[in-house]
Amino acid sequence: MSRLRVQCFAVSIDGYGAGPDQDLQTPLGVRGPELMEWFFHTRVWRRMHGHDDGETGVDNGIAEQGFQGIGAWILGRNMFGPVRGPWPDDSWKGWWGDEPPYHVPVFVLTHHPRPPLRMKGGTEFRFVTEGIHAALEQASAAAGGRDVRVGGGVSTIRQYLRARLIDELHLAVRPVLLGRGEHLWQDIDMHALGYECAKVVPGERATHVMLRRKA
Ligand SMILES: NC(=O)c1ccc[n+]([C@@H]2O[C@H](COP(=O)([O-])OP(=O)(O)OC[C@H]3O[C@@H](n4cnc5c(N)ncnc54)[C@H](OP(=O)(O)O)[C@@H]3O)[C@@H](O)[C@H]2O)c1
């Protein structure tokens, strides 16, 4: 059965999934790159950026798994870009250039309608204004039996957690303190929602924590 998975979501020790004040120059918010430092060295990341090198250890293996068996993605509008409010035009096409790393349909949650955007390599951004349940329904249909991955950002993951819709949540916990930003656990009681820790795997630059919803 198709699962709803969060993979490779980086958090600081103090629970932040993004730094504050995101803009065009700081897609992850101020000091946000410190969260992603575990990923930047992996072969997966390096290949996504056209290089034929990168580390092949635990962090890389887990990053690879995150892309396996995924038939569609769901993103929040802030993960898609820094543009806020009604779309001024169709010029913003995501942070990832002409060929984004998704290669399947990607459903972007937003309150502001916009026509779908077909990119090179099979990624199509489809903008969903009817909320998280509609986005999941559309993504599941598009995934054709494969899993749906919630890419982020923080607010989007929080909504799916509160609705108990996420089956598996992999966090790459980074040994940094952000102090400010978007907090993953704000107003969330994971125990009451019925989640448990299934596995912890030490990686080179992050500790990988696998949470799952209890049956
Ligand atoms: N740590 C990681 O591994 C990781 C991974 C991915 C992203 N990030 C970072 O996370 C940050 C973004 O997270 P975020 O919490 O600010 O935002 P987000 O979850 O990416 O997007 C939030 C926005 O999406 C739209 N939205 C969300 N839920 C909606 C709903 N139910 N109905 C309609 N629209 C909805 C709203 O935009 P509108 O109302 O404006 O349309 C809302 O302001 C970025 O800095 C990004 O780089 C981190």
Short mmCIF file of all heavy atoms in Angstrom, two decimals, residues 36-67:
data_model
loop_
_atom_site.label_atom_id
_atom_site.label_comp_id
_atom_site.label_asym_id
_atom_site.label_seq_id
_atom_site.Cartn_x
_atom_site.Cartn_y
_atom_site.Cartn_z
N MET A 36 21.64 21.39 6.53
CA MET A 36 21.78 20.53 5.35
C MET A 36 23.21 20.06 5.13
O MET A 36 23.50 19.35 4.16
CB MET A 36 21.30 21.28 4.09
CG MET A 36 19.87 21.75 4.17
SD MET A 36 18.70 20.46 4.65
CE MET A 36 18.81 19.41 3.24
N GLU A 37 24.09 20.44 6.03
CA GLU A 37 25.52 20.11 5.88
C GLU A 37 25.74 18.60 5.73
O GLU A 37 26.66 18.16 5.05
CB GLU A 37 26.25 20.67 7.11
CG GLU A 37 27.74 20.67 7.06
CD GLU A 37 28.35 21.49 5.92
OE1 GLU A 37 27.70 22.40 5.38
OE2 GLU A 37 29.48 21.17 5.57
N TRP A 38 24.89 17.78 6.32
CA TRP A 38 25.05 16.32 6.20
C TRP A 38 24.82 15.87 4.75
O TRP A 38 25.40 14.89 4.31
CB TRP A 38 24.06 15.60 7.13
CG TRP A 38 22.63 15.63 6.62
CD1 TRP A 38 21.74 16.64 6.79
CD2 TRP A 38 21.98 14.63 5.84
NE1 TRP A 38 20.55 16.34 6.17
CE2 TRP A 38 20.67 15.11 5.58
CE3 TRP A 38 22.34 13.39 5.34
CZ2 TRP A 38 19.73 14.38 4.83
CZ3 TRP A 38 21.40 12.66 4.60
CH2 TRP A 38 20.12 13.15 4.35
N PHE A 39 23.98 16.60 4.04
CA PHE A 39 23.55 16.21 2.70
C PHE A 39 24.52 16.71 1.62
O PHE A 39 24.78 16.03 0.64
CB PHE A 39 22.15 16.77 2.47
CG PHE A 39 21.41 16.27 1.27
CD1 PHE A 39 21.56 14.96 0.83
CD2 PHE A 39 20.54 17.11 0.58
CE1 PHE A 39 20.86 14.50 -0.29
CE2 PHE A 39 19.84 16.66 -0.53
CZ PHE A 39 20.01 15.36 -0.96
N PHE A 40 25.09 17.89 1.85
CA PHE A 40 25.93 18.53 0.84
C PHE A 40 27.14 17.69 0.42
O PHE A 40 27.66 17.87 -0.66
CB PHE A 40 26.44 19.89 1.33
CG PHE A 40 25.35 20.91 1.55
CD1 PHE A 40 25.49 21.89 2.54
CD2 PHE A 40 24.19 20.91 0.79
CE1 PHE A 40 24.50 22.84 2.75
CE2 PHE A 40 23.19 21.86 1.01
CZ PHE A 40 23.34 22.82 1.99
N HIS A 41 27.59 16.81 1.31
CA HIS A 41 28.79 16.02 1.01
C HIS A 41 28.47 14.67 0.36
O HIS A 41 29.36 13.96 -0.05
CB HIS A 41 29.58 15.75 2.31
CG HIS A 41 30.03 17.02 2.96
ND1 HIS A 41 31.28 17.57 2.74
CD2 HIS A 41 29.39 17.87 3.80
CE1 HIS A 41 31.38 18.69 3.44
NE2 HIS A 41 30.25 18.89 4.08
N THR A 42 27.21 14.32 0.27
CA THR A 42 26.85 12.98 -0.22
C THR A 42 26.98 12.91 -1.74
O THR A 42 26.87 13.92 -2.45
CB THR A 42 25.40 12.61 0.14
OG1 THR A 42 24.51 13.57 -0.46
CG2 THR A 42 25.19 12.62 1.65
N ARG A 43 27.17 11.70 -2.23
CA ARG A 43 27.22 11.50 -3.68
C ARG A 43 25.88 11.87 -4.31
O ARG A 43 25.83 12.42 -5.41
CB ARG A 43 27.57 10.03 -3.99
CG ARG A 43 27.85 9.82 -5.47
CD ARG A 43 28.34 8.43 -5.74
NE ARG A 43 27.33 7.45 -5.38
CZ ARG A 43 27.47 6.14 -5.53
NH1 ARG A 43 28.58 5.64 -6.02
NH2 ARG A 43 26.51 5.31 -5.17
N VAL A 44 24.78 11.59 -3.59
CA VAL A 44 23.45 11.94 -4.11
C VAL A 44 23.39 13.44 -4.43
O VAL A 44 22.99 13.84 -5.52
CB VAL A 44 22.35 11.60 -3.07
CG1 VAL A 44 21.00 12.13 -3.52
CG2 VAL A 44 22.28 10.11 -2.82
N TRP A 45 23.79 14.24 -3.48
CA TRP A 45 23.73 15.70 -3.68
C TRP A 45 24.67 16.13 -4.80
O TRP A 45 24.33 16.93 -5.67
CB TRP A 45 24.10 16.41 -2.37
CG TRP A 45 24.31 17.91 -2.54
CD1 TRP A 45 25.48 18.54 -2.87
CD2 TRP A 45 23.31 18.92 -2.43
NE1 TRP A 45 25.27 19.89 -2.96
CE2 TRP A 45 23.96 20.16 -2.70
CE3 TRP A 45 21.96 18.92 -2.12
CZ2 TRP A 45 23.28 21.37 -2.66
CZ3 TRP A 45 21.29 20.13 -2.09
CH2 TRP A 45 21.94 21.34 -2.35
N ARG A 46 25.90 15.60 -4.77
CA ARG A 46 26.90 16.00 -5.75
C ARG A 46 26.42 15.65 -7.16
O ARG A 46 26.58 16.44 -8.09
CB ARG A 46 28.24 15.34 -5.44
CG ARG A 46 28.84 15.74 -4.08
CD ARG A 46 29.44 17.12 -4.04
NE ARG A 46 30.52 17.29 -4.98
CZ ARG A 46 30.99 18.48 -5.38
NH1 ARG A 46 30.46 19.60 -4.89
NH2 ARG A 46 31.98 18.55 -6.23
N ARG A 47 25.82 14.48 -7.32
CA ARG A 47 25.32 14.09 -8.65
C ARG A 47 24.16 14.97 -9.09
O ARG A 47 24.03 15.29 -10.27
CB ARG A 47 24.89 12.62 -8.63
CG ARG A 47 26.10 11.71 -8.62
CD ARG A 47 25.75 10.32 -9.05
NE ARG A 47 26.99 9.57 -9.24
CZ ARG A 47 27.07 8.26 -9.25
NH1 ARG A 47 25.99 7.53 -9.10
NH2 ARG A 47 28.23 7.66 -9.46
N MET A 48 23.32 15.35 -8.14
CA MET A 48 22.21 16.25 -8.47
C MET A 48 22.74 17.56 -9.03
O MET A 48 22.05 18.27 -9.75
CB MET A 48 21.38 16.55 -7.21
CG MET A 48 20.28 15.54 -6.93
SD MET A 48 19.61 15.64 -5.23
CE MET A 48 19.22 17.34 -5.06
N HIS A 49 23.98 17.89 -8.67
CA HIS A 49 24.58 19.15 -9.11
C HIS A 49 25.66 18.95 -10.17
O HIS A 49 26.54 19.79 -10.34
CB HIS A 49 25.10 19.94 -7.90
CG HIS A 49 23.96 20.39 -7.03
ND1 HIS A 49 23.39 19.57 -6.08
CD2 HIS A 49 23.24 21.53 -7.03
CE1 HIS A 49 22.38 20.20 -5.52
NE2 HIS A 49 22.26 21.39 -6.08
N GLY A 50 25.60 17.79 -10.83
CA GLY A 50 26.44 17.57 -12.00
C GLY A 50 27.86 17.13 -11.72
O GLY A 50 28.71 17.18 -12.62
N HIS A 51 28.17 16.70 -10.48
CA HIS A 51 29.53 16.27 -10.15
C HIS A 51 29.55 14.75 -10.01
O HIS A 51 28.59 14.15 -9.55
CB HIS A 51 30.00 16.90 -8.84
CG HIS A 51 29.88 18.39 -8.83
ND1 HIS A 51 30.73 19.20 -9.53
CD2 HIS A 51 28.98 19.21 -8.23
CE1 HIS A 51 30.38 20.46 -9.36
NE2 HIS A 51 29.32 20.49 -8.58
N ASP A 52 30.71 14.16 -10.34
CA ASP A 52 30.80 12.71 -10.26
C ASP A 52 31.61 12.29 -9.04
O ASP A 52 32.48 11.43 -9.14
CB ASP A 52 31.40 12.17 -11.57
CG ASP A 52 31.08 10.69 -11.73
OD1 ASP A 52 30.09 10.24 -11.11
OD2 ASP A 52 31.83 10.00 -12.43
N ASP A 53 31.38 12.94 -7.92
CA ASP A 53 32.12 12.55 -6.71
C ASP A 53 31.14 12.61 -5.54
O ASP A 53 29.94 12.55 -5.72
CB ASP A 53 33.32 13.48 -6.50
CG ASP A 53 32.91 14.95 -6.39
OD1 ASP A 53 31.70 15.23 -6.39
OD2 ASP A 53 33.79 15.81 -6.30
N GLY A 54 31.67 12.71 -4.34
CA GLY A 54 30.81 12.76 -3.15
C GLY A 54 31.00 11.52 -2.30
O GLY A 54 31.47 10.48 -2.78
N GLU A 55 30.66 11.65 -1.03
CA GLU A 55 30.86 10.55 -0.09
C GLU A 55 29.78 9.48 -0.24
O GLU A 55 28.66 9.78 -0.61
CB GLU A 55 30.85 11.11 1.34
CG GLU A 55 31.99 12.08 1.59
CD GLU A 55 31.93 12.73 2.98
OE1 GLU A 55 31.07 12.35 3.80
OE2 GLU A 55 32.76 13.63 3.23
N THR A 56 30.19 8.24 0.07
CA THR A 56 29.25 7.12 -0.13
C THR A 56 28.97 6.37 1.17
O THR A 56 28.70 5.19 1.17
CB THR A 56 29.81 6.12 -1.16
OG1 THR A 56 31.09 5.69 -0.68
CG2 THR A 56 29.94 6.72 -2.53
N GLY A 57 29.02 7.05 2.29
CA GLY A 57 28.81 6.39 3.59
C GLY A 57 27.35 6.27 3.98
O GLY A 57 26.46 6.21 3.12
N VAL A 58 27.13 6.28 5.28
CA VAL A 58 25.78 6.08 5.84
C VAL A 58 24.84 7.22 5.39
O VAL A 58 23.72 6.97 4.94
CB VAL A 58 25.86 6.06 7.39
CG1 VAL A 58 24.47 6.03 8.01
CG2 VAL A 58 26.67 4.87 7.84
N ASP A 59 25.31 8.45 5.50
CA ASP A 59 24.45 9.58 5.13
C ASP A 59 24.00 9.45 3.67
O ASP A 59 22.82 9.65 3.34
CB ASP A 59 25.20 10.92 5.28
CG ASP A 59 25.43 11.30 6.75
OD1 ASP A 59 24.78 10.73 7.63
OD2 ASP A 59 26.29 12.18 6.99
N ASN A 60 24.94 9.08 2.80
CA ASN A 60 24.59 8.95 1.39
C ASN A 60 23.59 7.82 1.16
O ASN A 60 22.63 7.98 0.41
CB ASN A 60 25.85 8.69 0.56
CG ASN A 60 25.53 8.63 -0.92
OD1 ASN A 60 25.18 9.65 -1.53
ND2 ASN A 60 25.60 7.44 -1.51
N GLY A 61 23.80 6.69 1.82
CA GLY A 61 22.89 5.55 1.65
C GLY A 61 21.47 5.92 2.06
O GLY A 61 20.50 5.58 1.37
N ILE A 62 21.36 6.66 3.14
CA ILE A 62 20.03 7.05 3.62
C ILE A 62 19.41 8.09 2.68
O ILE A 62 18.22 8.05 2.41
CB ILE A 62 20.14 7.55 5.08
CG1 ILE A 62 20.38 6.32 5.98
CG2 ILE A 62 18.89 8.29 5.52
CD1 ILE A 62 20.54 6.61 7.45
N ALA A 63 20.24 8.98 2.16
CA ALA A 63 19.72 9.96 1.18
C ALA A 63 19.21 9.24 -0.07
O ALA A 63 18.16 9.59 -0.61
CB ALA A 63 20.81 10.96 0.81
N GLU A 64 19.94 8.21 -0.51
CA GLU A 64 19.50 7.44 -1.69
C GLU A 64 18.14 6.78 -1.45
O GLU A 64 17.25 6.83 -2.29
CB GLU A 64 20.52 6.35 -2.01
CG GLU A 64 21.62 6.82 -2.94
CD GLU A 64 22.71 5.78 -3.16
OE1 GLU A 64 22.71 4.71 -2.51
OE2 GLU A 64 23.59 6.07 -3.99
N GLN A 65 18.01 6.17 -0.26
CA GLN A 65 16.75 5.49 0.06
C GLN A 65 15.56 6.45 -0.01
O GLN A 65 14.45 6.06 -0.35
CB GLN A 65 16.80 4.90 1.47
CG GLN A 65 17.59 3.62 1.57
CD GLN A 65 17.89 3.27 3.04
OE1 GLN A 65 17.12 3.63 3.94
NE2 GLN A 65 18.99 2.60 3.28
N GLY A 66 15.83 7.70 0.33
CA GLY A 66 14.76 8.71 0.35
C GLY A 66 14.12 8.96 -1.01
O GLY A 66 13.01 9.47 -1.09
N PHE A 67 14.86 8.63 -2.07
CA PHE A 67 14.31 8.85 -3.42
C PHE A 67 13.70 7.58 -4.00
O PHE A 67 13.11 7.61 -5.07
CB PHE A 67 15.42 9.37 -4.36
CG PHE A 67 15.77 10.81 -4.11
CD1 PHE A 67 16.79 11.16 -3.24
CD2 PHE A 67 15.06 11.84 -4.73
CE1 PHE A 67 17.11 12.49 -2.99
CE2 PHE A 67 15.37 13.17 -4.50
CZ PHE A 67 16.40 13.50 -3.64
#
